[in-house]
């Protein structure tokens, strides 16, 4: 079964716009779990413009499902992850001022540093995933780091879905097959939505997890959080 992990960054963005604690990030995360989500994802950035480092500490003891922390493994992030010990850490090559994730790792160029940080997290008992573009070579070099999974960056799929979904999915199927061949687990995320998720899952049914935030939270404004999660889960059946 492919797990749905809800990224709650946008909830924190709304909270931070006015200060205070409304909406409450922890409350929303627990509601997502209650409504059927099998995981919670956060991506704390150095400027804490949405999820704060303290949010990560507050969430860990309260969550009942898998906890996934995403981010660039700068020392502060690495220390936080080793302190909190989530189920999974997903390493993303974001610049400090980057608006949102827009590319995967060049796992060949960064092989040595990624191997070192993957070793650090795995020694702490944390499942480790690398954010990669749908490129067979990047998947192969990811496997050489010793990581457990790769997460395919799905923005190009979402962008091409309406025009030609078969062409849009093709490189992802190849990358997913390569991940399976080299023994890596498989996650996917970025711009997946109610429009394009079901087809993606149909073509790559061995996905372990999808991480969805922006589209899901937007849908919840119209449908309500409970109904929205129900519909996303239905796409993964």
């Amino acid at each position: 079964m492919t797990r749905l992990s809800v990224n709650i960054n946008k909830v924190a963005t709304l909270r931070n716009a006015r200060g205070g604690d409304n909406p409450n990030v922890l409350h929303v995360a627990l509601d997502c779990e209650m409504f059927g989500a099998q995981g919670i994802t956060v991506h704390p950035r150095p400027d804490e413009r949405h999820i704060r480092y303290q949010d990560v500490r507050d969430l860990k003891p309260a969550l009942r499902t898998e906890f996934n922390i995403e981010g660039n493994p700068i020392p502060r992030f690495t220390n936080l992850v080793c302190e909190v010990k989530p189920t999974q850490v997903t390493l993303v090559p974001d610049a400090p001022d980057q608006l949102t994730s827009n590319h995967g790792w060049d796992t060949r160029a960064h092989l040595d540093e990624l191997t070192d940080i993957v070793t650090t997290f795995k020694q702490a008992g944390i499942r480790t995933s690398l954010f990669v573009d749908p490129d067979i070579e990047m998947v192969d070099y990811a496997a050489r780091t010793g990581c457990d999974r790769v997460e395919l960056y799905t923005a190009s799929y979402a962008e091409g879905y309406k025009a030609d979904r078969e062409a849009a999915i093709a490189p992802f199927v190849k990358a997913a097959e390569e991940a399976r061949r080299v023994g890596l687990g498989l996650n996917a995320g970025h711009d997946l939505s109610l429009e394009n998720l079901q087809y993606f899952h149909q073509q790559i049914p061995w996905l372990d997890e999808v991480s969805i935030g922006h589209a899901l939270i937007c849908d919840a404004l119209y449908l309500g959080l409970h109904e929205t999660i129900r519909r996303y889960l239905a796409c993964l059946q």
Side-chain angles (χ1 to χ4, degrees), residues 13-38:
T13 301
L14 183 59
R15 175 199 62 188
N16 295 353
R18 288 287 296 270
D21 197 30
N22 186 29
N24 183 275
V25 169
L26 176 58
H27 190 171
V28 173
L30 295 177
D31 281 347
C32 288
E33 290 186 322
M34 180 173 62
F35 297 149
Q38 296 107 344

